[in-house]
Amino acid sequence: MATSTSSNVNVDEPEGVANKSSKKDINNKVDLVINNRKHANYVFDILEYLQAVKEKDVVCAVNACNKLFCALLKRGDLFVGQLPSEEDMLSAEHSAEQKYRMFMRHRYNSCTDLLLELMHHESFQVKEGALLTLMKFVTMEGKFPLLAVDWEEHYHFPRELLKAVVGQLLSEKEDMALLISRFQEFLEMEDVRYYVMSSVSDSVARVMEKAKGVALPVYQGNVFLLASSVCMPSKEAELSNFLVKQAAKQGDWKAAKFKEHRRAFERMWLCFLKYKLPSSMYKKVLVILHDSILPHMSKPTLMIDFLTAAYDVGGAISLLALNGLFVLIHQHNLDYPDFYKKLYGLLEPSVFHVKYRARFFHLANIFLSSSHLPVYLVAAFAKRLSRLALTAPPAALLMVLPFICNLIRRHPACRVLIHRPSAPGEPCDDPYLMEEDDPAHCHALESSLWELQTLQKHYHPDVAKAAMAINKPLTEEEDDISELLELSAYELFERGLKQKEKQAVPLEFEVATQLLGGSGGVLGAHFSLE
């Protein structure tokens, strides 16, 4: 079929008139193509508008393509099966009806290619329109399939088109956060979720193998956003919301099986996490790992390699990695003998200043809550925290001091640390080895918590009062430190300002009668210039 000449808008027309004429031209041609096959060549003009310079023309063309090809799909005017090339379709062996359907199928393929490119347009309105139109095509192809049905494997879900959409969302050069956020509503569909997870796994394997282990921050950021948007169902009975309804054998379809969803979910995350990540990405993954990833994996212990590698990164990442390791130890019987040694190694002066300070001590409180921990281990943590407390800020001290007291309450054998007598004024030779990384060899149990006695003379009255707790027998009831975990210096200052003194503070013993003057004045001396 011959290509018609595109109708051009008069450059001398005002912009508003030009936009109206463009929209009218597009809509008229859509109606002509739908209503009469003689005007089939107008489809070229419609597709040309998808490449227009003006944003409004592109948006109008996207909507026009949505209307046009959905109508053709519904009417069965697109060729079904393996599509011959445009040269082959002109041979005499094909009827006029077949040639028309082949022609329109080629135009449909060109349209999807252009829409995929428009997902990277500078205008978000265009991006969004292209995405929604492509997903509309996915829905229509599910109802009116263009390929032979694979009954054993995938039924008639248009997985190739969806895979192409996912490929554009996982851009290697552009941050697709906004468009991925817009795409989340489709992940609520069971079949879309299943094929998206499979597509993500295939994409990561291909792109990261090509990169040969080099981190790709933009691409991996897009993968994480899309993967973390997947909200897994908790049981098979919840699999009921499908984009494409299957006419028969719905129960045999992989996308309708809870077990297959878990398998695809596990494969997606393991494939993503086996490659080197940017340091900021480790934090994002580890924060959601124990709540959103591990519970939905059939073999959570497969994450041990990732968690071990994450711990070796250091800093806050090591802390977050220990959280995941603790879940595997506590809930999945993972044998990890160095866990408490690694936790002990994280106790450094910087722990009071990092962003995840509250999370660290919340988790450390959980890790050290067991009454079956050996005494030497608990003593090592109490002693190291006491030593670090000498240089900690007041806001951190108000949380650390009750923390140490709670450790001693849980393990009465550690009371020797606060009841080891020494002669007043006698030099203290502390056997504790601060530089020792192994809590079993730091000699903490042979030492004492003299640091807490030192803090009783702290310049901040609240800290001094908290340190006084060891002067009295400790109660069995533990102190609640939950409200103190995120206490900041600003909040501490504000709290001090709001406190009301129980009695008036004397400011002057004698009321001053004059500031300057003779012998009775405050200065008490008279200076003469003579």
Side-chain angles (χ1 to χ4, degrees):
M1 293 186 179
T3 304
S4 67
T5 304
S6 300
S7 55
N8 297 319
V9 177
N10 189 346
V11 295
D12 294 328
E13 289 181 336
E15 185 178 354
V17 176
N19 286 334
K20 288 182 180 179
S21 61
S22 299
K23 183 176 182 180
K24 185 177 180 180
D25 181 51
I26 295 172
N27 292 333
N28 286 340
K29 288 179 177 177
V30 168
D31 292 336
L32 288 171
V33 175
I34 292 175
N35 296 325
N36 195 328
R37 292 186 177 184
K38 291 192 301 181
H39 302 294
N41 281 339
Y42 281 141
V43 71
F44 288 108
D45 295 348
I46 299 168
L47 295 179
E48 189 172 337
Y49 273 111
L50 288 176
Q51 304 171 71
V53 176
K54 295 180 180 179
E55 177 186 331
K56 291 183 178 180
D57 288 347
V58 180
V59 171
C60 185
V62 169
N63 294 331
C65 288
N66 189 339
K67 177 182 178 181
L68 171 61
F69 289 106
C70 284
L72 295 178
L73 277 162
K74 188 175 182 180
R75 204 161 61 189
D77 281 354
L78 300 186
F79 181 81
V80 177
Q82 194 64 36
L83 183 64
S85 65
E86 296 208 63
E87 292 78 11
D88 294 340
M89 79 178 192
L90 298 175
S91 61
E93 63 184 45
H94 300 297
S95 65
E97 179 71 19
Q98 288 178 319
K99 289 179 180 179
Y100 173 78
R101 293 183 178 180
M102 291 177 187
F103 170 78
M104 279 303 182
R105 173 76 180 279
H106 277 290
R107 303 292 75 76
Y108 173 73
N109 291 346
S110 299
C111 177
T112 56
D113 291 341
L114 290 171
L115 290 172
L116 290 168
E117 292 178 11
L118 288 177
M119 287 177 65
H120 300 286
H121 195 275
E122 59 184 11
S123 166
F124 180 74
Q125 187 180 4
V126 173
K127 291 181 182 180
E128 183 183 34
L131 173 65
L132 297 179
T133 298
L134 285 165
M135 291 307 296
K136 182 64 176 179
F137 289 169
V138 170
T139 305
M140 294 302 293
E141 280 194 43
K143 295 179 180 178
F144 310 100
L146 297 177
L147 297 174
V149 177
D150 183 359
W151 288 103
E152 295 183 359
E153 189 68 22
H154 297 286
Y155 287 48
H156 54 262
F157 188 91
R159 57 191 183 279
E160 291 303 323
L161 179 55
L162 182 61
K163 185 176 181 179
V165 173
V166 172
Q168 297 303 311
L169 291 173
L170 303 181
S171 172
E172 298 179 40
K173 300 178 181 179
E174 181 184 353
D175 183 357
M176 303 294 285
L178 285 177
L179 207 57
I180 290 173
S181 177
R182 186 67 180 85
F183 184 71
Q184 286 183 7
E185 66 178 76
F186 297 102
L187 292 174
E188 297 176 6
M189 310 288 186
E190 324 294 355
D191 42 2
V192 174
R193 183 197 309 120
Y194 175 77
Y195 289 111
V196 164
M197 291 190 293
S198 300
S199 300
V200 170
S201 301
D202 295 340
S203 174
V204 170
R206 175 176 48 81
V207 174
M208 297 309 296
E209 285 297 330
K210 185 179 178 181
K212 297 181 179 179
V214 178
L216 302 174
V218 175
Y219 172 76
Q220 289 173 301
N222 289 329
V223 173
F224 173 76
L225 286 173
L226 185 56
S228 60
S229 298
V230 173
C231 185
M232 280 287 289
S234 57
K235 52 187 178 181
E236 195 159 3
E238 295 181 6
L239 299 181
S240 58
N241 185 20
F242 292 89
L243 183 70
V244 177
K245 307 292 183 183
Q246 302 296 338
K249 299 184 179 180
Q250 175 91 8
D252 296 333
W253 189 23
K254 280 192 173 183
K257 294 182 179 179
F258 179 68
K259 183 178 179 181
E260 295 296 335
H261 275 258
R262 294 193 67 170
R263 184 177 298 173
F265 181 85
E266 183 175 85
R267 178 171 173 256
M268 174 182 68
W269 279 108
L270 290 176
C271 187
F272 174 59
L273 297 178
K274 80 174 183 178
Y275 297 100
K276 181 180 179 181
L277 300 176
S279 58
S280 60
M281 188 63 61
Y282 277 105
K283 294 180 182 179
K284 293 178 181 179
V285 173
L286 291 168
V287 164
I288 68 170
L289 183 70
H290 63 290
D291 284 334
S292 304
I293 300 177
L294 291 180
H296 302 295
M297 299 186 72
S298 55
K299 294 182 179 179
T301 51
L302 293 174
M303 298 294 289
I304 183 64
D305 291 338
F306 166 72
L307 291 169
T308 304
Y311 176 83
D312 294 335
V313 174
I317 296 175
S318 298
L319 156 69
L320 296 173
L322 284 180
N323 187 16
L325 286 171
F326 183 77
V327 172
L328 295 182
I329 294 170
H330 184 65
Q331 299 180 9
H332 302 282
N333 301 319
L334 175 69
D335 185 18
Y336 196 73
D338 291 336
F339 177 81
Y340 285 98
K341 182 178 178 181
K342 289 184 179 294
L343 178 62
Y344 183 78
L346 292 177
L347 294 178
E348 297 178 348
S350 61
V351 77
F352 297 117
H353 305 279
V354 295
K355 177 182 178 182
Y356 295 99
R357 185 189 78 184
R359 189 181 184 92
F360 175 85
F361 283 98
H362 170 71
L363 294 174
N365 189 45
I366 296 174
F367 300 157
L368 297 170
S369 61
S370 174
S371 58
H372 298 290
L373 295 175
V375 177
Y376 78 85
L377 183 66
V378 180
F381 277 94
K383 179 61 180 178
R384 192 172 183 89
L385 285 171
S386 298
R387 183 65 59 85
L388 293 174
L390 292 175
T391 56
L397 286 173
L398 291 177
M399 175 267 300
V400 170
L401 292 174
F403 188 96
I404 295 172
C405 292
N406 285 345
L407 289 180
I408 297 173
R409 287 186 176 98
R410 294 171 193 166
H411 305 272
C414 291
R415 292 178 185 270
V416 67
L417 296 175
I418 57 176
H419 293 295
R420 180 164 280 128
S422 59
E426 181 182 334
C428 177
D429 185 15
D430 194 341
Y432 174 68
L433 302 176
M434 185 69 175
E435 295 76 18
E436 176 59 51
D437 294 331
D438 191 343
H441 301 110
C442 67
H443 303 292
L445 204 55
E446 302 166 21
S447 180
S448 66
L449 300 184
W450 58 265
E451 296 90 349
L452 299 189
Q453 190 171 13
T454 302
L455 290 172
Q456 291 176 6
K457 297 181 180 180
H458 196 275
Y459 69 88
H460 197 289
D462 289 348
V463 173
K465 182 179 179 181
M468 291 283 187
I470 62 168
N471 293 346
K472 302 176 182 178
L474 294 176
T475 60
E476 293 185 3
E477 185 178 355
E478 294 187 10
D479 294 327
D480 183 10
I481 64 170
S482 58
E483 295 183 359
L484 302 172
L485 290 175
E486 298 191 27
L487 183 66
S488 65
Y490 175 79
E491 291 171 335
L492 189 61
F493 182 75
E494 287 293 311
R495 193 168 70 178
L497 289 177
K498 293 178 181 178
Q499 286 182 348
K500 294 182 179 180
E501 296 295 335
K502 295 182 179 179
Q503 59 184 10
V505 178
L507 299 177
E508 188 73 40
F509 181 72
E510 293 183 358
V511 178
T513 57
Q514 56 184 354
L515 294 177
L516 299 173
S519 58
V522 176
L523 295 182
H526 179 72
F527 296 94
S528 175
L529 297 176
E530 297 180 354

